[in-house]
Amino acid sequence: MLGAWLTGGQLFAAAANPALAKAKQEAEAKGYTFLTSKDEIIANAKKEGNLRVLGSLDKASLNVLAETFKKKYPFINARAEEINGTEVYLRMIQEMKAGLAKNWDVNYLAFDYYNDYLPHQKKFDILGMAQNGVVQIPVKLIDPVNRHIIVVASDLQVVAYNKQLLPTEKIPNNWEGFLREDFKGRKFMLDIRPKDLAALVPAWGLEKTLDYARKLGAQNPVWVRGNARSMPLVLSGERPMLLGPNLGTVLESQDKDPAKILAYKIIEPVPTRLNEAQGILGASANPHAALLWLEFVVSPEGQAILDKYEPYGASLLSPGSAQEKLTKGLKLSILDWDHYTKMGDYEKKIVEAYGFPRADK
């Protein structure tokens, strides 16, 4: 009987919509929690009254998101803090494993360690609730396998260059163009963390991508680490070009370029990565407030904030986002949910293909 596992408002919602009752039953059979009404989520969030979010988005974005969220839900005292760096991610995972993670509600899941986070996240059936209209979250932004995780953003990888050192007409129209002889010998910078090349795997396949990585490494580029450190070198004219930076990073650097010498080019297939995976901590004291946060960040209002403050940081999969408009009609290579958990493996193999010198050689 439904009454054996539904009570109060849940029983009323299920009676009004048998599909909800079925979805709840199926979710619970798989170990997920399924809430049948938005009113129930809000009522529980009011009782909780607090929310702490840890994310890798820029501090400015998180501040605006938190303030806007509090205006929408004034009964929730929301705080959002920026976290970044491998050491931070590993420490968080260790705290989760040791049962010490109790001071936050929403957390970022770094794709390099995605599977390590999963056992420690609250298992709301976000996908099922979205499919049944309980929460307004686009289903494309929800992990179809791990139904309790969403992504709120995406990154486009582009080519950034100094127009005074390298005229626009010299920039290749395809990725293979960077294998030409005139780009050999420290003519461009390449990040040793190959997220840009890894995002070509969906379009090219792993073997073609690894072959390209071997040839690109043989071009003897200037090896660098991190967009934030590399973009000033392009701006200053110390280096003419950087392959694969995030579009948002380039746009932020252009704001600091009064001479307008920094430019970028989008090359097909456009390497695109789902980014900023967020989940709810299993030990969260405020899981319903956290669920409202996830819904808010991927709402049109939340995505508009990301587009403004990241910038162009909203998800390509969000209708009307800046990235969706910018890439309309272009061939994309989207590192989506089919590839997301394999990203770390792709990067490891690409680094090996680059052929860095080894100590034993």
Side-chain angles (χ1 to χ4, degrees):
M1 294 178 62
L2 291 179
W5 50 275
L6 294 177
T7 60
Q10 291 182 317
L11 182 59
F12 177 80
N17 187 348
L20 282 177
K22 181 180 179 182
K24 179 177 175 67
Q25 193 172 33
E26 291 174 349
E28 292 183 342
K30 297 176 182 177
Y32 286 92
T33 298
F34 188 102
L35 304 176
T36 57
S37 77
K38 180 71 172 289
D39 289 343
E40 178 187 1
I41 298 172
I42 292 175
N44 285 322
K46 284 182 177 179
K47 295 175 183 177
E48 293 163 355
N50 291 290
L51 177 68
R52 186 185 180 197
V53 176
L54 301 182
S56 73
L57 297 168
D58 288 346
K59 183 178 181 180
S61 302
L62 288 168
N63 287 342
V64 176
L65 284 168
E67 289 304 314
T68 308
F69 179 80
K70 284 192 284 189
K71 291 178 182 177
K72 186 177 181 68
Y73 299 108
F75 48 84
I76 299 175
N77 179 27
R79 294 181 296 145
E81 301 171 34
E82 180 185 10
I83 57 168
N84 266 309
T86 299
E87 291 183 0
V88 175
Y89 306 149
L90 292 175
R91 185 179 72 244
M92 289 175 65
I93 292 170
Q94 292 304 316
E95 289 178 5
M96 292 177 191
K97 290 180 177 179
L100 301 176
K102 299 177 181 178
N103 297 323
W104 68 83
D105 303 295
V106 175
N107 63 263
Y108 166 66
L109 289 78
F111 62 77
D112 314 64
Y113 310 104
Y114 189 74
N115 292 324
D116 294 316
Y117 288 91
L118 291 175
H120 310 289
Q121 305 301 299
K122 178 77 173 177
K123 293 188 69 174
F124 280 127
D125 183 10
I126 298 176
L127 179 58
M129 290 190 285
Q131 289 172 330
N132 286 276
V134 179
V135 292
Q136 301 302 310
I137 297 177
V139 295
K140 288 183 179 180
L141 300 180
I142 307 169
D143 186 335
V145 176
N146 305 290
R147 304 161 68 94
H148 52 307
I149 308 298
I150 73 169
V151 289
V152 307
S154 62
D155 279 321
L156 299 183
Q157 313 304 142
V158 299
V159 174
Y161 62 99
N162 185 310
K163 291 190 291 186
Q164 290 184 340
L165 300 177
L166 199 59
T168 300
E169 59 270 18
K170 296 288 186 180
I171 307 297
N173 293 319
N174 54 57
W175 293 106
E176 289 85 354
F178 295 99
L179 303 179
R180 297 194 317 243
E181 187 66 24
D182 53 313
F183 285 110
K184 194 174 184 68
R186 301 178 68 81
K187 298 295 177 58
F188 57 85
M189 292 184 289
L190 192 61
D191 201 317
I192 60 174
R193 187 190 186 196
K195 61 184 185 301
D196 45 351
L197 262 65
L200 286 171
V201 172
W204 280 1
L206 183 57
E207 289 309 313
K208 179 178 178 178
T209 303
L210 294 179
D211 180 65
Y212 181 70
R214 283 187 283 270
K215 294 174 180 176
L216 202 60
Q219 290 290 79
N220 189 26
V222 177
W223 298 105
V224 292
R225 177 65 192 96
N227 293 176
R229 298 174 183 174
S230 308
M231 291 306 304
L233 301 179
V234 181
L235 265 175
S236 67
E238 186 173 343
R239 299 294 177 188
M241 183 167 55
L242 172 63
L243 264 63
N246 298 333
L247 172 61
T249 303
V250 180
L251 294 175
E252 288 175 345
S253 297
Q254 285 184 324
D255 288 339
K256 306 171 186 175
D257 174 27
K260 306 300 179 186
I261 61 175
L262 178 63
Y264 69 89
K265 187 168 184 175
I266 297 176
I267 297 179
E268 300 179 69
V270 185
T272 308
R273 300 179 295 114
L274 300 184
N275 191 28
E276 190 65 22
Q278 294 190 0
I280 301 172
L281 183 68
S284 166
N286 310 291
H288 299 88
L291 193 54
L292 291 177
W293 170 271
L294 297 184
E295 181 185 53
F296 166 72
V297 177
V298 297
S299 69
E301 187 176 18
Q303 292 288 283
I305 291 171
L306 294 186
D307 266 340
K308 180 177 180 180
Y309 290 92
E310 283 299 309
Y312 279 35
S315 174
L316 176 81
L317 302 179
S318 293
S321 69
Q323 289 186 24
E324 190 226 19
K325 295 176 182 177
L326 188 64
T327 59
K328 187 165 292 185
L330 300 180
K331 182 179 180 181
L332 305 177
S333 180
I334 303 179
L335 206 147
D336 57 13
W337 291 114
D338 290 334
H339 299 271
Y340 196 86
T341 59
K342 304 172 186 176
M343 180 74 166
D345 183 56
Y346 293 163
E347 288 187 324
K348 180 180 178 181
K349 290 178 179 178
I350 291 169
V351 168
E352 292 173 353
Y354 279 156
F356 294 126
R358 291 165 52 110
D360 58 355
K361 288 187 178 180

